Amino acid sequence: MSHPGCSSRTAFGPAPAPGSQPWALLQILRLQIQSQIAPERHSWQRGLALAGAIWGQVEGPQVFAALAGMLEQMGRSRRSMFRFSNPDCSGCAAMMTAHESLFLQIVTLTCRAQGDKAERAAFLLCEANDVSGLVQAATRLALVLPSEATARP
């Protein structure tokens, strides 16, 4: 379900293709953030279920936890609010914010062993603050994240 004017203020570009690994990571991230903003909604449970459905009951929770670790480390470095699209609005969820794009770039570049580029993206995302914790958390995620070829449909 969407609402008038979805994502118009924060839209950066289209979200990754539905069903892809970046799409799943983005949806889980959004649900984790939503749980912080509105804990009574328990959105993290939907994120954990999505991770389990995609990567299985062993690796899914590991990916979920590692992604939560990245979110925590990013929150320690950033001073301003992280802008994210509403995962419960189809119109908003189809768009990605600039912050979400940088977050996914960090994950992608880390998985590709392009640490210098990942660190630069983290530096931008964290507003020129210390990124060492975020980079370490991204490395932990890369270690537990199965390749896209092994993800379940």
Side-chain angles (χ1 to χ4, degrees):
M1 175 174 205
S2 64
H3 60 277
C6 297
S7 296
S8 58
R9 291 183 299 137
T10 60
F12 176 74
S20 69
Q21 184 165 281
W23 174 86
L25 291 169
L26 181 58
Q27 296 312 310
I28 295 165
L29 174 70
R30 289 171 172 173
L31 291 165
Q32 289 175 342
I33 295 169
Q34 190 177 62
S35 273
Q36 292 177 353
I37 294 169
E40 71 280 359
R41 296 186 69 187
H42 303 288
S43 298
W44 67 269
Q45 293 174 336
R46 291 175 31 219
L48 183 58
L50 177 58
I54 292 172
W55 295 291
Q57 295 307 308
V58 173
E59 291 171 318
Q62 293 172 354
V63 171
F64 180 88
L67 191 60
M70 271 190 76
L71 178 59
E72 179 184 350
Q73 290 302 318
M74 180 194 66
R76 290 180 184 204
S77 293
R78 284 184 60 85
R79 299 295 176 249
S80 65
M81 180 174 36
F82 180 86
R83 299 237 179 242
F84 71 104
S85 294
N86 181 351
D88 294 326
C89 169
S90 59
C92 290
M95 299 304 292
M96 184 168 46
T97 69
H99 295 161
E100 292 172 331
S101 176
L102 283 169
F103 191 96
L104 287 180
Q105 284 178 44
I106 296 164
V107 174
T108 301
L109 292 166
T110 302
C111 288
R112 292 181 183 161
Q114 296 177 340
D116 289 345
K117 290 180 181 179
E119 194 167 329
R120 286 193 288 273
F123 188 74
L124 290 173
L125 181 61
C126 292
E127 305 164 325
N129 294 306
D130 179 31
V131 297
S132 58
L134 178 57
V135 170
Q136 290 172 359
T139 301
R140 285 191 293 277
L141 175 61
L143 291 173
V144 299
L145 190 62
S147 69
E148 261 197 273
T150 62
R152 292 177 172 86

